[in-house]
Amino acid sequence: MSKHETFRQETREWLAQNCPQSMRTPVAPEGLVWSGRNKTWPSADAKLWFERMRDRGWTVPDWPAEYGGGGLDPVQSDILKQEMKQLGCRAPLMDLGIWMLGPALLEHGSEAQKKEHLPKIARGEIRWCQGYSEPNAGSDLASLQTRAVDQGDHYLVNGAKIWTTFAHLCDWIFCLVRTDPGASKHNGISFLLIDMEQPGVSVSPIPLISGESEFCETHFDNARAEKHNLVGGLNRGWTVAKSLLIHERKMMSASNDSGRGAQPDMIGAARRAFGSDAAGKLLDANYRRRIASHKMRSRAVALTGKRLFEEQIAGSGDGKAGLTMKMLGTEEKLRGDELLIALLGSAGLGWEGEPFDPEVLAFTRNWLFNKALTIAGGTSEVQRNVIAKRALELPQ
């Protein structure tokens, strides 16, 4: 038996013995475990599952062990994901520090920064949010105007960020700031880590069409950022920012596995709406075609992601296909949502109370929230420009 086959067997056995039964079911947003100084536990089993995974280093399985990770190689990490999915295991911990900041620090952070911040992320002690977009700097992110002025041993930060997800619940923010107003717009930006629990930082949640307020506007009024929390070097923040965006887009391209709860059965909804023949074939040819097309495209996106992973392991491939994944994954997710809403009919447009099914109500709100997916992390329009230029090498 090979090393990875042995690891798969051991992992399968460990998960079966250590993942509580209640943690093997689809999870609603209120059941997620988020990092933070004041994190709460949805249940005793959620706390137990987190602690067991944390102690094994599997909240961040592919990080080095010295930073609180599991030290797994890429193949082992993928096996763990497969086995968790097979058993239906919930993610033990949620945080932008895990998905975005941590990988950026591993690539660009100093050793002191890694030792200071990565173990806290792995242990779920600090909750992070992202300070990139501004009211006048969205798709043209490099035009940002939030300023950080050198004060000797620290910076004073002034400006505003928008669409900062869960900022009202977060402890720290990783933030792009302008440190050299005289430089060209890409060359005067730095990447700072800022403690949000201080005077000079204020947050206002933004009501969304989903009925939630996950996105916020964040204001800095002479907020302090220590110089040892400057990542990647002065005026080199754009390099760090681009690296982090790769991880953000990778996360968003896998949005079907985001853990925002189970969605209603699409084929079942179609059969209820249009009926099926004795062999189970959907009677409506148009919706039969649309569902099959969606299923095939979703499968193609998943297989492309698998191919990219295998190319990474083998050290082959040019990486160009990876530039397509965020756009393809998020747009197909929205197509599937719209198709299911059409199949559900009026039942899919409920907001609360009887006679609506709770699962369908949750899906409807997720459908509305998911409309942000093709905008956040780089709009599909911007992604098409990136694909045209970098992958297809088309003329400007």
Side-chain angles (χ1 to χ4, degrees):
M1 186 178 291
S2 71
K3 164 187 157 183
H4 290 128
E5 289 172 337
T6 300
F7 176 79
R8 183 183 294 278
Q9 179 176 322
E10 293 174 346
T11 298
R12 183 176 298 164
E13 293 172 355
W14 187 90
L15 291 172
Q17 294 170 6
N18 288 276
C19 182
Q21 286 294 331
S22 65
M23 296 294 103
R24 305 183 193 185
T25 58
V27 57
E30 60 269 18
L32 298 172
V33 175
W34 286 90
S35 298
R37 289 170 173 151
N38 302 304
K39 66 175 167 288
T40 58
W41 304 104
S43 67
D45 278 353
K47 184 174 186 289
L48 177 64
W49 176 229
F50 159 74
E51 290 173 344
R52 287 175 174 173
M53 290 288 277
R54 175 202 62 195
D55 293 347
R56 201 171 178 87
W58 283 1
T59 56
V60 283
D62 54 352
W63 291 10
E66 60 264 33
Y67 305 131
L72 303 186
D73 65 37
V75 174
Q76 290 173 323
S77 182
D78 191 54
I79 289 172
L80 173 59
K81 292 176 184 176
Q82 293 172 16
E83 292 301 319
M84 288 180 65
K85 186 174 183 178
Q86 181 67 28
L87 196 60
C89 302
R90 299 180 183 181
L93 185 65
M94 310 287 283
D95 186 35
L96 295 191
I98 293 174
W99 309 316
M100 296 162 63
L101 176 62
L105 283 179
L106 285 168
E107 183 176 355
H108 298 282
S110 67
E111 188 61 26
Q113 289 168 343
K114 294 175 186 177
K115 289 181 176 178
E116 169 67 19
H117 296 290
L118 293 179
K120 293 178 182 177
I121 295 173
R123 296 192 298 263
E125 295 174 0
I126 299 294
R127 185 167 178 175
W128 289 87
C129 60
Q130 178 185 26
Y132 272 30
S133 296
E134 297 184 2
N136 294 308
S139 294
D140 185 16
L141 178 60
S143 64
L144 63 91
Q145 294 300 312
T146 295
R147 295 277 297 275
V149 178
D150 193 332
Q151 300 293 306
D153 63 342
H154 68 280
Y155 297 98
L156 283 183
V157 182
N158 287 275
K161 297 291 180 179
I162 201 165
W163 314 126
T164 41
T165 306
F166 288 126
H168 60 305
L169 301 174
C170 290
D171 307 305
W172 281 66
I173 184 170
F174 49 93
C175 200
L176 291 180
V177 296
R178 191 159 298 283
T179 43
D180 185 356
S184 61
K185 68 179 186 179
H186 290 86
N187 295 325
I189 295 172
S190 295
F191 189 102
L192 277 176
L193 310 180
I194 303 172
D195 191 335
M196 297 183 72
E197 292 189 3
Q198 61 165 305
V201 180
S202 59
V203 177
S204 302
I206 302 170
L208 307 177
I209 60 172
S210 63
E212 301 174 351
S213 296
E214 294 187 9
F215 296 154
C216 302
E217 189 164 8
T218 304
H219 293 269
F220 302 100
D221 183 11
N222 283 333
R224 181 181 177 113
E226 304 300 331
K227 278 198 170 178
H228 62 256
N229 283 322
L230 174 69
V231 178
L234 184 65
N235 298 324
R236 293 179 57 82
W238 192 247
T239 298
V240 184
K242 290 189 294 183
S243 172
L244 187 142
L245 283 172
I246 292 173
H247 298 290
E248 179 182 18
R249 290 164 182 165
K250 180 180 178 181
M251 172 190 72
M252 295 184 68
S253 71
S255 58
N256 284 339
D257 296 321
S258 63
R260 291 184 64 88
Q263 70 175 26
D265 173 37
M266 181 178 291
I267 295 176
R271 284 175 176 157
R272 287 191 295 273
F274 304 111
S276 57
D277 62 18
K281 182 178 179 180
L282 187 65
L283 294 179
D284 188 289
N286 175 48
Y287 274 97
R288 192 168 64 238
R289 176 189 57 79
R290 291 177 63 186
I291 292 172
S293 179
H294 167 63
K295 296 286 186 182
M296 287 192 295
R297 285 195 301 261
S298 296
R299 181 63 173 157
V301 172
L303 288 174
T304 302
K306 183 178 180 181
R307 174 168 65 85
L308 290 170
F309 172 76
E310 292 174 349
E311 287 178 350
Q312 177 186 356
I313 299 301
S316 62
D318 57 16
K320 291 182 178 180
L323 297 171
T324 69
M325 292 300 290
K326 190 270 177 181
M327 185 197 76
L328 293 175
T330 56
E331 292 205 346
E332 198 54 49
K333 171 61 177 170
L334 264 61
R335 286 193 194 98
D337 285 354
E338 296 286 348
L339 178 54
L340 186 45
I341 281 289
L343 290 168
L344 291 169
S346 60
L349 297 176
W351 193 249
E352 60 187 4
E354 297 182 358
F356 299 105
D357 182 278
E359 184 184 61
V360 175
L361 288 176
F363 166 73
T364 299
R365 294 185 183 233
N366 286 342
W367 159 61
L368 292 169
F369 176 86
N370 287 343
K371 290 182 177 293
L373 296 179
T374 56
I375 301 171
T379 67
S380 289
E381 291 79 6
V382 169
Q383 294 302 299
R384 286 183 172 88
N385 287 337
V386 171
I387 294 165
K389 181 178 180 180
R390 300 182 187 173
L392 303 178
E393 299 180 0
L394 298 178
Q396 188 70 24

